[in-house]
Amino acid sequence: MTDDPESFDVLPGAGHSPVILHVPHSAREIPPSVRADIVLDDDEIARELDHITDAHTAQIAEAAARMAGVVPWRFVNRLSRLVVDPERFPDEREEMRSVGMGAVYTRTTHGDVLRSEDVAAGPLVARYFLPYARAMTQAVADRLAATGRAVIIDVHSYPRARLPYELHGEGPRPPVCLGTDSFHTPPGLLAAAREAFGETELDSPFSGAYVPLEFHGADPRVEALMVEIRRDTYMTEPGGPAGPGVERLATALARLVDTVSG
């Protein structure tokens, strides 16, 4: 691990594509300076990464981009969400703070201590969270300028069995969960996703869709959908290798991309 790796990649697509495949939780990389404040030993942190990482989702997005008729843009986090979680609110608006999993996690998926409460979140937010947010805001602005719209498709995964940190995990756990936003997820986008993926549920076990704060609730030209894929449909849990489901899911994602690109 390098001490200061690049936090994210913005991978260009077609100039006329409005679609950004956002992959925020696929990486396991933790810079040594950040690792030093995590209290888990190496075996414990490897197990935690197995549970918390959306393994192989960058691979699914990459394959979908290759298959799509109109190549989407990709915004890929290259650091683990144990560094910062770019999809959380960095303040008291974030409900996951109640289980120690705000923008900077202090607890694990099973409620154990990850960082001391004395570790200051501010430097991590400044170094990693804010540049990521600014870059994602710019990526959306660029799509709006080029095409008049932006479609953010968040690519996530989740475990077959509920983990202790989940606040709303009591509902169905379908092969694909579609997370929606009441302002930014129009019916056409949702219908296209249902058609592409087949067996889905809405907002269970996870809800919502990521939109940069500058546009959230303000600009209807920014559309958003979260695609949460149940891990046992494409990989060995937890943290194991990918299986043949990757190709099927990438094909479905490419179909969705092409449907909403026109």
Side-chain angles (χ1 to χ4, degrees):
M1 292 187 291
T2 58
D3 192 40
D4 198 19
E6 288 297 322
S7 295
F8 52 83
D9 285 332
V10 182
L11 302 164
H16 61 289
S17 171
V19 178
I20 301 170
L21 295 181
H22 182 217
V23 188
H25 295 155
S26 66
R28 295 172 69 100
E29 179 83 11
I30 302 173
S33 59
V34 179
R35 172 69 179 91
D37 286 327
I38 293 176
V39 302
L40 305 181
D41 66 28
D42 288 348
D43 289 340
E44 290 168 337
I45 202 167
R47 286 193 294 272
E48 179 62 13
L49 286 167
D50 285 347
H51 288 297
I52 200 64
T53 303
D54 292 352
H56 315 299
T57 49
Q59 178 183 344
I60 292 171
E62 181 181 9
R66 287 198 309 268
M67 296 176 186
V70 179
V71 179
W73 293 65
R74 285 180 289 144
F75 195 110
V76 182
N77 190 4
R78 295 304 183 190
L79 298 182
S80 169
R81 62 198 291 192
L82 298 185
V83 180
V84 296
D85 191 330
E87 293 206 317
R88 304 283 200 239
F89 289 112
D91 53 33
E92 65 281 350
R93 289 172 293 179
E94 179 52 61
E95 69 168 350
M96 294 301 292
R97 286 164 61 102
S98 66
V99 291
M101 300 180 87
V104 177
Y105 296 177
T106 58
R107 295 279 172 172
T108 71
T109 50
H110 290 71
D112 299 320
V113 175
L114 180 75
R115 289 182 176 91
S116 167
E117 297 286 351
D118 295 332
V119 173
L124 290 173
V125 170
R127 170 64 186 88
Y128 298 107
F129 184 95
L130 294 179
Y132 189 106
R134 286 192 293 267
M136 187 63 183
T137 300
Q138 187 61 54
V140 171
D142 289 346
R143 293 302 86 218
L144 289 174
T147 73
R149 53 196 283 259
V151 183
I152 304 167
I153 301 176
D154 249 5
V155 186
H156 290 261
S157 71
Y158 74 99
R160 181 180 57 82
R162 181 180 184 176
L163 290 171
Y165 83 94
E166 296 179 27
L167 293 180
H168 309 290
E170 64 277 357
R173 302 180 81 85
V176 174
C177 158
L178 300 176
T180 66
D181 179 276
S182 59
F183 187 90
H184 292 282
T185 309
L189 176 56
L190 193 55
R194 284 171 154 162
E195 177 68 23
F197 287 103
E199 187 179 351
T200 61
E201 294 276 354
L202 295 187
D203 296 313
S204 177
F206 296 97
S207 63
Y210 175 77
V211 175
L213 289 176
E214 181 174 321
F215 305 103
H216 189 256
D219 194 335
R221 298 176 301 162
V222 180
E223 302 176 14
L225 181 75
M226 179 169 65
V227 176
E228 286 269 6
I229 303 163
R230 204 178 67 213
R231 291 175 188 155
D232 66 312
T233 66
Y234 73 91
M235 64 173 284
T236 301
E237 293 189 82
V246 165
E247 188 81 3
R248 174 181 54 80
L249 288 161
T251 300
L253 182 58
R255 187 180 307 122
L256 171 60
V257 167
D258 280 339
T259 300
V260 301
S261 291

